[in-house]
């Protein structure tokens, strides 16, 4: 039940007439008789398709913006059941920093660590300690030149011993004293075996004794605590990355795929374009059916264009974003609710997903985006200023309206990816001449947002609110509510007057 239900074209046309020129704040939904005893996020099914083959248990995606999603954000999003898309806001030719971020996510949470950090038996203890420090892991697998398992070295093995003159072989637990499992193993079987043999680490080896992977008790425990997490077939967290449509995008894609990225995003401001046409053809020619999201579009023609060129998901939103000035600077765009309905109608009956991208300023709009057409919702500003968003905290003086007192408040910067500062950072400024920079038409801006807690708390609040919406809507799951809405939209939709809007959303 994770696919958007097919929408009847006649009903979709009626809804489209109703929502033309409208966005989230123009509507409110009429409450229905509730069938839920409890609005419990642990039992209400919110699953959706991010793209043709990737299922999310929570329909939340963090935006590929350089002030929103790097590894820490992507990890939290995937742990909470959504996914993060690592931005490509690194300078052209600098593929490695983005690849590194993807690598960090793929290594964070594993059922089985396919490629555990390792050390040779002849390395010094200082060298081993330095690998531990750099990698942030407390145990290293000891292997020989052909990856044959020789032992295990943990931080504890090095504690309270003088390091001089000692080598890994002197302190490791040798393989004959380890519990080792031949061949692959499921997380459940690994847990049983590790409990029985009272070990915290379980190396996996093939019949030649060559290391195949490592299971750790810590990862198994974390897996249990995060039942909704978005994982790949090997139990690793899933992550996406944006590559653009020109320049180094194919080389970037190749490196990201090699590192284990789950889905790529060809993401340009105007995705219904000749540039996208070329990029999609080149991508498919080189990478076959690798999972690919393309965008952004905001019209039926735009969505059909991407569908016909083999996108696995279409990102919808031209101009609704919090850090975006496209509509102001170009007078082009489509109000987001209209865009969602148009694109949903165009995609209906296909298995290509729709990502509703941008314009969510309050949690209730997430629910609307998921009703009007989004399989999932992409959010940027909602996650800006959190502990996991990149960027330094700056203290700003703010005057309190009540007392007129000036206080220092921590802020973080959110900037549109088409803002001048973001573009300038992507260019190699030393090489770009001044005129070139000045000629750029910026379509984004930079704003300060108050620093707030963890994105994890924000996602969990969003999910609770979404469950409440489902309860008000008279359904038992997200899928069921979509069915009910599209069967009889008039039962739900209330177009608000100006004063009703003020009553609803202004506080
Ligand atoms: P929210 O409203 O969640 O939107 O902050 C996030 C989305 O905004 C888009 N985005 C931009 N659009 N100029 C634009 O026209 C920009 O500089 C810009 N930066 C981000 C993007 O689609 C993102 O996911």
């Amino acid at each position: 039940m994770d696919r958007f239900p097919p929408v009847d074209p006649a009903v979709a046309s009626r809804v489209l007439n109703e929502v033309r020129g409208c966005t989230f704040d123009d509507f409110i939904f009429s409450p229905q008789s509730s069938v839920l005893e409890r609005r419990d996020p642990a039992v209400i099914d919110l699953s959706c398709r991010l793209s043709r083959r990737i299922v999310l248990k929570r329909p939340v995606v963090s935006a590929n913006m350089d002030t929103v999603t790097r590894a820490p954000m992507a990890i939290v999003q995937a742990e909470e059941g959504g996914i993060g898309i690592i931005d490509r806001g690194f300078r052209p030719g600098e593929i490695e920093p983005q690849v590194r971020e993807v690598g960090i996510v793929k290594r964070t949470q594993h059922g089985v660590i396919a490629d555990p950090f390792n050390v040779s038996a002849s390395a010094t203890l200082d060298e081993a300690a330095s690998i531990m420090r750099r990698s942030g892991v407390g145990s290293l697998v000891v292997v020989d030149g052909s990856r044959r398992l020789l032992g295990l070295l943990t931080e504890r093995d090095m504690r309270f011993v003088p390091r001089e003159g000692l080598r890994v072989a002197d302190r490791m637990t040798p393989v004959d004293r380890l519990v080792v499992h031949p061949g692959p193993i499921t997380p459940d079987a690994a847990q049983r075996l590790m409990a029985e043999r009272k070990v915290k680490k379980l190396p996996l080896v093939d019949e030649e004794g060559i290391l195949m992977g490592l299971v750790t008790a810590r990862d198994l425990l974390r897996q249990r605590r995060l039942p909704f997490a978005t994982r790949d077939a090997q139990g690793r967290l899933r992550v996406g990355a944006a590559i653009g449509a020109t320049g180094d995008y194919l080389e970037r894609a190749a490196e990201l795929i090699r590192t284990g990225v789950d889905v790529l995003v060809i993401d340009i401001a105007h995705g219904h374009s000749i540039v996208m046409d070329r990029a999609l053809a080149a991508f498919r020619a080189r990478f076959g059916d690798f999972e690919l999201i393309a965008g952004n579009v905001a019209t039926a023609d735009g969505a059909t264009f991407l569908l016909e060129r083999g996108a696995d998901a279409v990102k919808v939103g031209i101009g609704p974003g919090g850090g975006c000035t496209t509509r102001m600077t170009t007078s082009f765009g489509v109000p987001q609710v209209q865009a969602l309905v148009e694109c949903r109608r165009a995609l209906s009956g296909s298995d290509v997903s729709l990502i509703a991208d941008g314009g969510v300023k309050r949690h209730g709009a997430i629910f609307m985006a998921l009703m009007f057409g989004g399989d999932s919702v992409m959010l940027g500003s909602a996650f800006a200023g959190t502990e996991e968003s990149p960027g330094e905290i700056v203290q700003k003086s703010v005057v309190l309206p009540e007392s007129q007192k000036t206080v220092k408040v921590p802020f973080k910067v959110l900037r549109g990816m088409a803002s001048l500062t973001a573009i300038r950072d992507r260019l190699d400024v030393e090489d770009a001449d001044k005129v070139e920079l000045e000629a750029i038409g910026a379509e984004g801006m930079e704003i300060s947002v108050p620093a707030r807690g963890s994105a994890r708390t924000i996602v969990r609040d969003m999910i609770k609110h979404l469950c409440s919406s489902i309860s008000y809507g008279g359904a038992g799951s997200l899928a069921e509510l979509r069915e009910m809405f599209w069967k009889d939209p008039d039962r739900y939709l209330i177009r608000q007057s100006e004063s009703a809007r003020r009553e609803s959303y202004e506080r």
Side-chain angles (χ1 to χ4, degrees):
M1 288 299 282
D2 43 43
R3 286 193 196 280
F4 208 99
V7 301
D8 180 319
V11 176
S13 299
R14 239 180 46 236
V15 174
L16 189 53
N17 279 335
E18 176 72 17
V19 304
R20 203 172 289 283
C22 294
T23 192
F24 302 118
D25 283 3
D26 294 312
F27 297 98
I28 197 85
F29 278 54
S30 179
Q32 310 292 321
S33 161
S34 174
V35 294
L36 287 172
E37 300 272 351
R38 286 187 308 137
R39 302 165 180 184
D40 183 355
V43 295
I44 298 175
D45 183 8
L46 303 175
S47 52
C48 73
R49 294 266 164 165
L50 170 77
S51 54
R52 212 188 291 262
R53 281 157 297 204
I54 296 183
V55 175
L56 305 177
K57 296 206 176 89
R58 307 308 204 194
V60 175
V61 185
S62 70
N64 43 292
M65 295 169 71
D66 66 0
T67 48
V68 177
T69 310
R70 294 270 158 98
M73 180 66 73
I75 289 167
V76 162
Q77 296 296 341
E79 286 183 344
E80 293 301 315
I83 196 165
I85 311 292
I86 308 275
D87 74 279
R88 64 183 161 95
F90 305 93
R91 291 178 183 184
E94 282 193 357
I95 293 172
E96 199 276 330
Q98 189 186 22
V99 168
R100 196 184 327 130
E101 298 291 310
V102 167
I104 292 172
V105 183
K106 295 309 289 183
R107 278 180 169 280
T108 302
Q109 166 102 47
H110 334 247
V112 175
I113 308 167
D115 186 18
F117 288 104
N118 57 67
V119 68
S120 78
S122 59
T124 64
L125 289 190
D126 276 337
E127 283 164 338
S130 137
I131 298 174
M132 285 181 187
R133 234 186 350 267
R134 266 185 283 129
S135 59
V137 302
S139 55
L140 300 174
V141 185
V142 187
V143 290
D144 69 11
S146 38
R147 279 181 69 82
R148 190 181 314 278
L149 178 69
L150 299 178
L152 205 60
L153 182 79
T154 70
E155 266 169 344
R156 247 189 338 197
D157 298 327
M158 299 197 292
R159 216 176 279 159
F160 310 128
V161 290
R163 289 199 190 145
E164 299 86 73
L166 283 181
R167 305 214 165 249
V168 168
D170 302 321
R171 297 298 302 170
M172 70 181 189
T173 306
V175 64
D176 53 8
R177 286 188 11 229
L178 291 175
V179 178
V180 169
H181 182 78
I185 192 166
T186 64
D188 282 347
Q191 185 168 328
R192 277 195 302 277
L193 180 61
M194 290 163 82
E196 196 182 296
R197 304 293 302 273
K198 297 187 197 164
V199 291
K200 288 186 175 167
K201 307 255 163 15
L202 182 66
L204 309 178
V205 292
D206 69 9
E207 62 277 10
E208 311 277 300
I210 305 291
L211 181 69
M212 292 171 61
L214 178 72
V215 183
T216 75
R218 189 164 153 263
D219 285 335
L220 288 178
L221 278 174
R222 204 184 294 169
Q223 284 225 14
R224 302 220 163 243
R225 265 187 269 129
L226 300 165
F228 300 104
T230 309
R231 297 198 177 95
D232 64 17
Q234 295 171 49
R236 300 176 302 176
L237 293 178
R238 284 198 189 273
V239 60
I243 56 171
T246 52
D248 61 12
Y249 74 110
L250 292 175
E251 201 189 332
R252 189 178 285 277
E255 288 298 314
L256 290 163
I257 292 171
R258 200 167 304 136
T259 315
V261 76
D262 295 279
V263 56
L264 290 170
V265 184
I266 296 189
D267 178 21
I268 50 179
H270 188 25
H272 187 184
S273 64
I274 186 164
V275 178
M276 179 64 84
D277 185 35
R278 237 181 271 129
L280 284 176
F283 184 94
R284 285 295 180 224
R286 180 144 169 204
F287 302 109
D289 65 354
F290 191 86
E291 204 72 356
L292 181 68
I293 298 168
N296 275 18
V297 294
T299 61
D301 282 351
T304 307
F305 170 85
L306 297 180
L307 169 78
E308 288 172 352
R309 280 156 187 77
D312 296 303
V314 169
K315 208 148 75 74
V316 173
I318 304 253
C324 162
T325 56
T326 300
R327 294 190 194 163
M328 283 177 264
T329 53
T330 71
S331 289
F332 277 85
V334 181
Q336 186 66 347
V337 166
Q338 176 182 337
L340 293 175
V341 174
E342 266 199 43
C343 295
R344 170 49 55 195
R345 189 175 61 167
L347 296 178
S348 185
S350 81
D351 57 0
V352 171
S353 301
L354 193 163
I355 301 172
D357 178 18
V360 169
K361 296 191 182 67
R362 48 182 176 77
H363 290 183
I366 296 175
F367 155 74
M368 282 198 196
L370 295 171
M371 288 298 117
F372 284 119
D375 285 274
S376 63
V377 184
M378 177 176 266
L379 303 120
S381 26
F383 295 127
T386 56
E387 284 161 17
E388 295 83 0
S389 67
E392 294 301 309
I393 287 190
V394 288
Q395 301 289 334
K396 278 192 162 188
S397 299
V398 172
V399 181
L400 293 176
E402 308 86 38
S403 58
Q404 293 297 303
K405 264 195 187 154
T406 304
V407 291
K408 291 272 185 200
V409 178
F411 277 85
K412 270 190 174 183
V413 166
L414 167 77
R415 62 186 188 184
M417 288 304 286
S419 65
L420 207 51
T421 49
I423 299 171
R424 191 184 286 129
D425 278 1
R426 282 201 298 276
L427 292 171
D428 199 334
V429 189
E430 263 116 68
D431 294 344
D433 69 43
K434 251 180 124 201
V435 186
E436 207 181 311
L437 271 176
E438 279 163 11
I440 292 166
E443 288 183 29
M445 58 184 187
E446 196 172 289
I447 41 179
S448 299
V449 284
R452 49 221 172 115
S454 169
R456 195 186 301 279
T457 316
I458 295 175
V459 175
R460 289 188 179 177
D461 282 347
M462 287 172 173
I463 296 303
K464 279 187 224 154
H465 293 144
L466 182 54
C467 290
S468 297
S469 301
I470 289 169
S471 171
Y472 276 115
S477 69
L478 178 59
E480 195 186 355
L481 189 49
R482 279 183 179 136
E483 289 263 2
M484 290 167 71
F485 172 71
W486 280 98
K487 201 176 275 172
D488 187 6
D490 299 334
R491 192 171 143 200
Y492 288 93
L493 268 189
I494 301 173
R495 179 78 175 265
Q496 303 196 88
S497 68
E498 192 56 44
S499 50
R501 193 176 15 251
R502 277 201 302 276
E503 182 185 81
S504 299
Y505 302 134
E506 287 181 18
R507 288 293 176 273

